[in-house]
Amino acid sequence: MTLISTNNNVLTFINVFTVEPENQERLIDLLTSATDVSVRYAPGFISCSLHRGTEGTKVTMYAQWRSAEDYQAMRNDPKPLPYLQEAMTIAKFEPGSYEVVKTFEPATQ
Protein backbone atom coordinates (compact mmCIF):
# COMPACT_ATOMS: atom_id res chain seq x y z
CA MET A 1 0.00 0.00 0.00
CA THR A 2 1.35 3.40 -0.94
CA LEU A 3 1.97 5.57 2.09
CA ILE A 4 3.67 8.92 1.59
CA SER A 5 5.24 10.01 4.86
CA THR A 6 8.49 11.45 6.16
CA ASN A 7 8.45 8.64 8.75
CA ASN A 8 8.67 5.86 6.14
CA ASN A 9 12.13 4.56 5.49
CA VAL A 10 11.50 3.71 1.84
CA LEU A 11 13.10 4.57 -1.45
CA THR A 12 10.75 6.28 -3.89
CA PHE A 13 11.11 6.18 -7.65
CA ILE A 14 9.18 8.67 -9.74
CA ASN A 15 9.65 7.70 -13.36
CA VAL A 16 8.24 9.90 -16.08
CA PHE A 17 7.65 8.44 -19.53
CA THR A 18 6.93 10.63 -22.55
CA VAL A 19 5.01 9.09 -25.46
CA GLU A 20 3.02 10.06 -28.50
CA PRO A 21 -0.69 10.23 -27.54
CA GLU A 22 -1.49 7.16 -29.65
CA ASN A 23 0.99 5.11 -27.55
CA GLN A 24 -0.09 6.21 -24.08
CA GLU A 25 -2.48 3.28 -23.46
CA ARG A 26 0.01 0.77 -24.89
CA LEU A 27 2.68 2.05 -22.50
CA ILE A 28 0.29 1.76 -19.56
CA ASP A 29 -0.51 -1.81 -20.64
CA LEU A 30 3.19 -2.70 -20.87
CA LEU A 31 4.05 -1.22 -17.46
CA THR A 32 1.01 -2.93 -15.94
CA SER A 33 2.03 -6.29 -17.41
CA ALA A 34 5.63 -5.96 -16.21
CA THR A 35 4.39 -5.15 -12.72
CA ASP A 36 1.74 -7.89 -12.66
CA VAL A 37 3.99 -10.72 -13.89
CA SER A 38 7.13 -9.93 -11.96
CA VAL A 39 7.76 -6.63 -10.22
CA ARG A 40 5.08 -6.93 -7.56
CA TYR A 41 6.54 -10.28 -6.45
CA ALA A 42 10.09 -8.98 -6.05
CA PRO A 43 11.57 -8.87 -2.56
CA GLY A 44 11.54 -5.33 -1.24
CA PHE A 45 8.67 -4.13 -3.44
CA ILE A 46 6.23 -1.99 -1.44
CA SER A 47 3.90 -0.34 -3.92
CA CYS A 48 3.48 1.15 -7.36
CA SER A 49 1.00 3.62 -8.82
CA LEU A 50 0.62 4.51 -12.49
CA HIS A 51 -0.57 7.97 -13.50
CA ARG A 52 -1.87 8.89 -16.94
CA GLY A 53 -1.13 12.46 -18.04
CA THR A 54 -4.33 14.21 -19.04
CA GLU A 55 -2.58 15.81 -22.04
CA GLY A 56 -1.94 12.34 -23.49
CA THR A 57 1.85 12.40 -23.70
CA LYS A 58 2.97 11.42 -20.19
CA VAL A 59 2.78 8.35 -18.00
CA THR A 60 4.27 8.56 -14.53
CA MET A 61 5.08 5.64 -12.29
CA TYR A 62 5.37 6.24 -8.54
CA ALA A 63 7.02 3.22 -6.90
CA GLN A 64 8.23 2.51 -3.38
CA TRP A 65 10.98 0.04 -2.56
CA ARG A 66 12.62 -1.08 0.66
CA SER A 67 16.10 -0.35 -0.72
CA ALA A 68 18.09 0.50 -3.83
CA GLU A 69 19.53 -3.04 -3.75
CA ASP A 70 16.04 -4.57 -3.90
CA TYR A 71 15.13 -2.30 -6.79
CA GLN A 72 18.32 -3.20 -8.66
CA ALA A 73 17.73 -6.92 -8.11
CA MET A 74 14.30 -6.53 -9.72
CA ARG A 75 15.88 -4.67 -12.65
CA ASN A 76 18.21 -7.66 -13.15
CA ASP A 77 15.28 -10.10 -13.29
CA PRO A 78 14.65 -11.19 -16.92
CA LYS A 79 10.85 -11.69 -16.46
CA PRO A 80 9.77 -8.03 -16.87
CA LEU A 81 12.46 -7.31 -19.48
CA PRO A 82 10.38 -7.94 -22.65
CA TYR A 83 7.70 -5.50 -21.48
CA LEU A 84 10.23 -2.85 -20.49
CA GLN A 85 12.19 -3.25 -23.72
CA GLU A 86 9.04 -2.74 -25.78
CA ALA A 87 8.10 0.24 -23.62
CA MET A 88 11.43 1.86 -24.44
CA THR A 89 10.66 1.59 -28.17
CA ILE A 90 7.64 3.89 -27.79
CA ALA A 91 8.63 6.12 -24.85
CA LYS A 92 11.40 8.31 -23.51
CA PHE A 93 12.21 7.53 -19.89
CA GLU A 94 13.22 10.02 -17.19
CA PRO A 95 13.96 8.10 -13.97
CA GLY A 96 14.29 9.68 -10.56
CA SER A 97 15.00 8.43 -7.05
CA TYR A 98 13.56 10.41 -4.14
CA GLU A 99 13.01 10.52 -0.42
CA VAL A 100 10.06 12.29 1.19
CA VAL A 101 11.12 15.44 3.01
CA LYS A 102 7.76 17.07 3.75
CA THR A 103 4.07 16.31 3.49
CA PHE A 104 1.16 18.72 3.86
CA GLU A 105 -2.39 18.22 5.11
CA PRO A 106 -5.35 20.56 4.69
CA ALA A 107 -5.23 23.50 7.10
CA THR A 108 -7.71 23.45 9.95
CA GLN A 109 -9.57 26.64 10.72
Side-chain angles (χ1 to χ4, degrees), residues 3-107:
L3 177 62
I4 301 173
S5 169
T6 57
N7 297 329
N8 280 359
N9 189 20
V10 301
L11 185 59
T12 301
F13 290 90
I14 302 174
N15 300 319
V16 179
F17 299 84
T18 304
V19 296
E20 294 297 322
E22 63 270 17
N23 289 324
Q24 188 184 46
E25 281 305 312
R26 180 66 185 140
L27 178 61
I28 290 168
D29 291 345
L30 289 166
L31 295 174
T32 297
S33 294
T35 303
D36 278 342
V37 302
S38 176
V39 175
R40 65 190 307 189
Y41 300 100
F45 174 80
I46 297 170
S47 71
C48 176
S49 301
L50 280 175
H51 304 262
R52 174 189 298 118
T54 57
E55 79 295 330
T57 62
K58 301 276 193 227
V59 174
T60 300
M61 177 180 274
Y62 182 98
Q64 294 179 328
W65 287 84
R66 184 177 53 209
S67 69
E69 293 78 19
D70 288 329
Y71 175 77
Q72 192 55 50
M74 178 278 301
R75 295 282 302 175
N76 293 333
D77 183 349
K79 284 184 272 215
L81 195 57
Y83 304 102
L84 300 174
Q85 286 175 331
E86 184 176 342
M88 293 302 91
T89 67
I90 61 172
K92 289 191 287 184
F93 174 53
E94 298 172 46
S97 175
Y98 300 86
E99 54 186 35
V100 178
V101 295
K102 187 74 179 158
T103 61
F104 299 89
E105 304 285 331

